Amino acid sequence: MGILEWVFIGGLRAYHSAMGHDDGDGIGPVAPGGPSHGPSFSRRNLLKGVAIAGVGLGVGAGVPGTAGAAKSKFPIGASAKKSTPTQITLWHSMTENNLTTLQKITNAFNSSQPHVKVNLLNQNSYTDTQTAYTTALSGGQSKLPDLVQWESELIQLLIDSQSVVPVSQAIAADHYSLSDFVPSMLNFFRVRGTLWALPFNISSQVLYYDENALTKAGLDPSNPPATLTALKKACQKIVSTATAKYGMSLKLDQTNFEQWMALGGQTLVNKNNGRSGRATKVTFDNALGKYLVQWWATMLKGNLAQATAASGTGGYDNLLAIGSGIAPITIDTSAALGTILTVLQSGQYPNVKLGVGRLPVPGSKPNKHGGVYVGGAGMYIVKKSTPATMDAAWQFLKYLVAPTQQATWALGTGYVPVRKSAIRIPALAQAWASVPQYKVAYDQILASPVNAATAGYVTGAASQVDTDLQDALTAISNGTPPNRALAQAAASANSAIQSYNERV
Amino acid sequence: MREASLGYLMILPAVAAFGIFSFYPLVKTAYLGFFLAPPTPNLPSKYVGFQQYSSVLGSSQFADDVGRTALFVAFTVPLGIILGLALANLAQKHIRGIRLFRTIFSSTVATSVAVASTIFFTLLNPQIGLLSYAFGKEGGNGILNNPHWALPAVALVTIWQNLGFTFILMSAALQSLPQDVLEASMVDGASSFTRLRQITLPLLSPILFFAVVIGVISGFQAFGQIDLLTQGGPNHASLVLIYDIYQQAFQFNNPGYAAVLSIALFFMLMILTFVQFWFFQRRVSYANG
């Protein structure tokens, strides 16, 4: 027991030092081959190509309408007209390797042109960004940043603050093409026809497993479970062959439930997931929701799965359990992959051969209307009275999401590029060819159809809805009947949504 | 007259400090409770009068919060004082190395809430925690994620962390006891239990009173250990009043709701302190001779 603990603690330490602090979607990933892969052909040419490709589609196809908010003219080119550089500030939540890579891209931008100078301000976590931003809102415009990296699921709160300019305004004024963006990513940031932000750091939930353990249990590691039915069978096999104590670890994280709803083509809240109007109640307490919590309960009851903590130090227990052989399968964010590979490369767990698969879909076959929705964060332009800073923010944002920068970003961090052409940039293409696990999350997001369910849910009370769902999963793991736990979560989330809607 | 104005002038700094940092926020908080607060502070609030007070204070969540807070105080205060007194009693003995023990017993005074919580978080971790093994709770979900054990576990950490302070308090009190009274009782043939009950405890009553009042107030305001260990979970099992205030104000962006809870907490503590004063005034003996 003593030795085992030390091994665990060693692993935990390695994870901690590699992952840095919680950056909101869990984990700060690490590059596969170091952060310094230079692109081998010109960014400008590529951009030109993209722009030409975009012309055919026109503004109407790619841009989410000029409806409503897009009426006022965005001050394109205002920063270039000034004789002195326009200083802007970006509030972000990136730490460790993510921070280094963001700084590198920003430095390159600052030295590439004379008009805009970007200052980064690290708020350390999405929660801290939210607190700082909310506080700054009461102090007037001057306290606010010019660009803010904001946790994806809190989008409605930022819209309701009336402090950001939808990027669709800048896109319309600049005739900027969106055709190269991964459609389901834009889908997430579009609310009531308006595109509010551009995706920047994007991740999604994937299946992690130890190939050796699957082989030992008589399963095919090259063909991981693709459905929840298959996942359950695989876990049964792992347990019945005594390959491991548990088939898998299930993190007590509502994200899995939410993604499964989307994969099953179902919304979580009404008004088309809050996309066509302000959501007034939840819809997750439907047949699919009940199926999911039943499945969850069955997995835990039969020791097919162990429940592990969603966050904090215990938030890595599901990954550690793969290393220790207690439970060889789990589900976690793709943003963790870089860190996991680094830990494995250190030789700490020589018996583990890591496999990555798509997030299994509910039931026994995929739903053609279903797909994952994205996690991570978007970049928002803050509403300011000076045209120059707003334009400067837009110029920098364009740079951040350009294919070359997105390739650099994906290489340095493990996040998924938001541009389709980024994966053809040699440095990234080579890195992905040598470590194919990195491509799984991207392929999964790319395969996601564009509809309300796969857009993800939007409500100002998202933090509470998440907490309520997480409470339900915790309750089930402690023996509460699944349907009752789900009904409680729905009731509590409904009153939270109602309270939010009254206040806004 | 001149003397009076000089007096007022002298207390002015204190009044100003209290006014700015205590009274003004208090009044402002009570005022905030009359408004439905918008999710971000740049938007207008809606005046609703006492409606928010009545709906929040009448909710079952508030009643549950208060129940859990009371339970938490009931766990931490008596046990903490008993343990502190017991340790202080042990440390009165003149044996070799007693200074070392006194240092160890009082050491948690120098331990911050964050450090204490992190130590116990690791000890209670279901995969690597020694305490989890000791309690036979290893693997799976863990003690801190168990709705029956989360609050007692947080209480345990709190007791441990406060033990150093209680120990020092009780040691000082024990050392200041008049020896002649104790010796007289020994001559009279009182057993050690009788001595404790009839002489030591009554003589200690002022310090016990102080420890209870401080313990209750700090129990009602325990935040750090809950934030670090359980975040009010699982399923609200450790959601005490102060943590609900924090969640409402900073996580759910509902400062109006939080203001109502804060005012409720203020009045509860005020009333409790009055009751304690009233109760102990009749029983505490300050007379030493």
Side-chain angles (χ1 to χ4, degrees):
Chain A
M1 188 182 86
I3 292 169
L4 193 65
E5 269 155 24
W6 279 109
V7 172
F8 274 136
I9 290 169
L12 198 67
R13 282 214 191 106
Y15 267 106
H16 262 288
S17 54
M19 286 175 175
H21 298 289
D22 177 16
D23 68 2
D25 49 18
I27 289 153
V30 172
S36 59
H37 299 270
S40 63
F41 59 93
S42 150
R43 177 178 63 83
R44 196 165 293 164
N45 287 345
L46 190 75
L47 272 178
K48 214 182 271 170
V50 169
I52 292 164
V55 168
L57 287 165
V59 176
V63 179
T66 43
K71 268 185 194 127
S72 65
K73 186 88 172 138
F74 193 90
I76 293 293
S79 63
K81 286 181 195 130
K82 281 178 59 182
S83 54
T84 52
T86 305
Q87 301 269 344
I88 58 164
T89 305
L90 163 65
W91 283 8
H92 67 91
S93 312
M94 299 285 93
T95 55
E96 308 280 320
N97 282 40
N98 301 354
L99 174 60
T100 321
T101 314
L102 180 61
Q103 189 69 61
K104 198 178 92 178
I105 296 174
T106 308
N107 292 347
F109 175 76
N110 283 340
S111 52
S112 73
Q113 44 72 45
H115 304 301
V116 180
K117 174 138 191 335
V118 181
N119 303 300
L120 298 181
L121 187 66
N122 187 0
Q123 300 285 4
N124 288 309
S125 76
Y126 294 140
T127 316
D128 289 347
T129 303
Q130 188 199 333
T131 311
Y133 192 90
T134 317
T135 312
L137 275 174
S138 54
Q141 258 186 14
S142 62
K143 301 270 202 302
L144 290 170
D146 303 281
L147 260 180
V148 61
Q149 181 193 25
W150 189 263
E151 185 173 11
S152 56
E153 65 163 23
L154 298 176
I155 179 170
Q156 186 68 47
L157 183 65
L158 199 55
I159 295 173
D160 288 338
S161 77
Q162 301 172 17
S163 63
V164 291
V165 185
V167 288
S168 53
Q169 283 187 17
I171 287 165
D174 203 13
H175 306 294
Y176 180 77
S177 168
L178 293 171
S179 58
D180 187 42
F181 282 84
V182 177
S184 59
M185 294 186 188
L186 296 180
N187 194 22
F188 183 91
F189 293 99
R190 197 172 279 148
V191 180
R192 272 170 261 177
T194 302
L195 187 66
W196 286 88
L198 286 179
F200 175 63
N201 55 311
I202 296 299
S203 57
S204 103
Q205 297 291 103
V206 290
L207 190 75
Y208 290 108
Y209 56 95
D210 177 11
E211 295 190 355
N212 292 339
L214 261 61
T215 309
K216 201 176 154 201
L219 296 156
D220 176 11
S222 62
N223 189 17
T227 66
L228 292 187
T229 310
L231 184 56
K232 188 175 151 194
K233 277 194 188 128
C235 290
Q236 279 163 339
K237 203 132 188 218
I238 290 164
V239 174
S240 67
T241 55
T243 307
K245 188 177 174 193
Y246 300 99
M248 70 178 298
S249 305
L250 277 174
K251 220 172 173 175
L252 291 171
D253 185 342
Q254 78 290 341
T255 312
N256 295 332
F257 178 89
E258 292 165 356
Q259 293 290 345
W260 282 327
M261 290 295 286
L263 277 167
Q266 304 281 315
T267 60
L268 283 145
V269 297
N270 69 354
K271 304 279 170 74
N272 290 316
N273 251 350
R275 301 288 172 166
S276 60
R278 193 178 284 283
T280 54
K281 62 186 178 64
V282 300
T283 54
F284 60 66
D285 52 340
N286 61 8
L288 180 59
K290 284 175 189 152
Y291 159 83
L292 289 172
V293 289
Q294 287 289 355
W295 182 87
W296 187 278
T298 316
M299 292 294 285
L300 294 178
K301 212 176 250 166
N303 268 8
L304 300 177
Q306 66 162 346
T308 62
S311 59
T313 329
Y316 311 131
D317 286 351
N318 61 330
L319 298 172
L320 290 176
I322 295 182
S324 67
I326 290 177
I329 304 178
T330 194
I331 296 166
D332 215 317
T333 168
S334 61
L337 181 58
T339 310
I340 297 171
L341 290 175
T342 308
V343 171
L344 290 177
Q345 276 157 16
S346 73
Q348 193 148 16
Y349 303 106
N351 297 325
V352 174
K353 185 159 180 275
L354 188 78
V356 178
R358 291 192 186 187
L359 182 63
V361 301
S364 50
K365 61 178 196 317
N367 178 320
K368 67 175 166 29
H369 302 297
V372 292
Y373 67 90
V374 297
M379 287 285 180
Y380 294 78
I381 300 173
V382 179
K383 201 184 276 179
K384 290 272 179 133
S385 50
T386 52
T389 58
M390 274 168 63
D391 175 56
W394 167 242
Q395 300 303 335
F396 180 52
L397 178 52
K398 276 197 290 186
Y399 184 84
L400 279 179
V401 298
T404 313
Q405 280 67 41
Q406 277 296 309
T408 310
W409 178 242
L411 272 169
T413 63
Y415 281 113
V416 166
V418 304
R419 301 293 287 262
K420 287 183 276 190
S421 58
I423 69 162
R424 290 194 297 274
I425 286 177
L428 187 60
Q430 281 158 20
W432 280 12
S434 63
V435 191
Q437 289 102 318
Y438 274 106
K439 204 161 174 287
V440 175
Y442 177 80
D443 288 341
Q444 170 172 284
I445 294 170
L446 193 67
S448 193
V450 172
N451 60 44
T454 59
Y457 83 102
V458 169
T459 163
S463 316
Q464 274 152 306
V465 175
D466 277 358
T467 307
D468 292 330
L469 277 172
Q470 187 170 341
D471 282 349
L473 297 180
T474 313
I476 295 165
S477 72
N478 286 310
T480 305
N483 285 354
R484 195 166 87 205
L486 189 68
Q488 277 168 358
S492 176
N494 280 338
S495 75
I497 292 174
Q498 195 195 338
S499 150
Y500 182 92
N501 291 351
E502 275 170 16
R503 293 188 289 121
V504 73
Chain B
M1 196 57 218
R2 261 198 68 187
E3 219 168 285
S5 41
L6 185 69
Y8 284 123
L9 197 70
M10 306 261 281
I11 64 164
L12 190 65
V15 170
F18 272 112
I20 294 166
F21 296 110
S22 293
F23 301 136
Y24 171 71
L26 179 65
V27 172
K28 179 89 186 188
T29 306
Y31 175 75
L32 272 177
F34 293 117
F35 293 87
L36 279 184
T40 55
N42 57 326
L43 304 174
S45 309
K46 288 175 196 156
Y47 178 78
V48 289
F50 281 98
Q51 190 222 309
Q52 185 162 235
Y53 277 96
S54 59
S55 70
V56 171
L57 300 182
S59 67
S60 62
Q61 171 150 354
F62 175 72
D64 292 345
D65 282 357
V66 173
R68 281 184 291 256
T69 311
L71 199 61
F72 181 76
V73 171
F75 276 136
T76 51
V77 176
L79 202 57
I81 290 176
I82 290 168
L83 281 175
L85 193 57
L87 281 184
N89 223 349
L90 286 177
Q92 295 296 309
K93 301 213 175 356
H94 294 281
I95 54 166
R96 265 177 78 89
I98 192 66
R99 279 164 172 277
L100 177 70
F101 284 106
R102 283 183 189 156
T103 311
I104 292 172
F105 292 161
S106 56
S107 64
T108 65
V109 130
T111 312
S112 74
V113 179
V115 172
S117 303
T118 310
I119 291 171
F120 275 86
F121 193 89
T122 314
L123 289 173
L124 291 169
N125 180 292
Q127 316 290 330
I128 58 166
L130 286 172
L131 278 184
S132 292
Y133 279 93
F135 293 152
K137 295 254 175 208
E138 71 271 19
N141 220 347
I143 293 169
L144 293 172
N145 269 316
N146 182 310
H148 304 295
W149 288 105
L151 193 65
V154 176
L156 180 86
V157 179
T158 311
I159 290 170
W160 181 82
Q161 208 242 324
N162 289 341
L163 203 52
F165 176 70
T166 324
F167 167 78
I168 291 172
L169 215 58
M170 294 303 157
S171 292
L174 283 177
Q175 276 165 17
S176 70
L177 288 184
Q179 291 301 313
D180 49 347
V181 183
L182 287 169
E183 279 160 14
S185 69
M186 278 161 92
V187 173
D188 287 349
S191 71
S192 61
F193 179 71
T194 315
R195 267 207 317 277
L196 177 75
R197 214 168 62 89
Q198 302 284 353
I199 302 187
T200 312
L201 282 183
L203 285 174
L204 280 180
S205 58
I207 206 76
L208 287 176
F209 169 55
F210 176 74
V212 169
V213 174
I214 292 289
V216 168
I217 292 177
S218 76
F220 267 83
Q221 295 181 341
F223 173 79
Q225 55 272 57
I226 292 170
D227 191 41
L228 288 161
L229 291 170
T230 61
Q231 288 93 43
N235 282 43
H236 300 178
S238 57
L239 187 68
V240 294
L241 198 51
I242 193 93
Y243 203 78
D244 200 9
I245 293 173
Y246 162 75
Q247 273 199 330
Q248 294 295 342
F250 298 105
Q251 279 182 287
F252 304 151
N253 302 300
N254 198 348
Y257 193 110
V260 172
L261 292 181
S262 304
I263 294 298
L265 179 62
F266 169 76
F267 278 105
M268 279 160 55
L269 280 178
M270 195 173 78
I271 292 167
L272 262 176
T273 311
F274 277 134
V275 168
Q276 286 171 341
F277 265 101
W278 172 80
F279 177 77
F280 281 98
Q281 236 161 25
R282 304 168 58 192
R283 301 187 173 244
V284 171
S285 100
Y286 287 98
N288 261 354

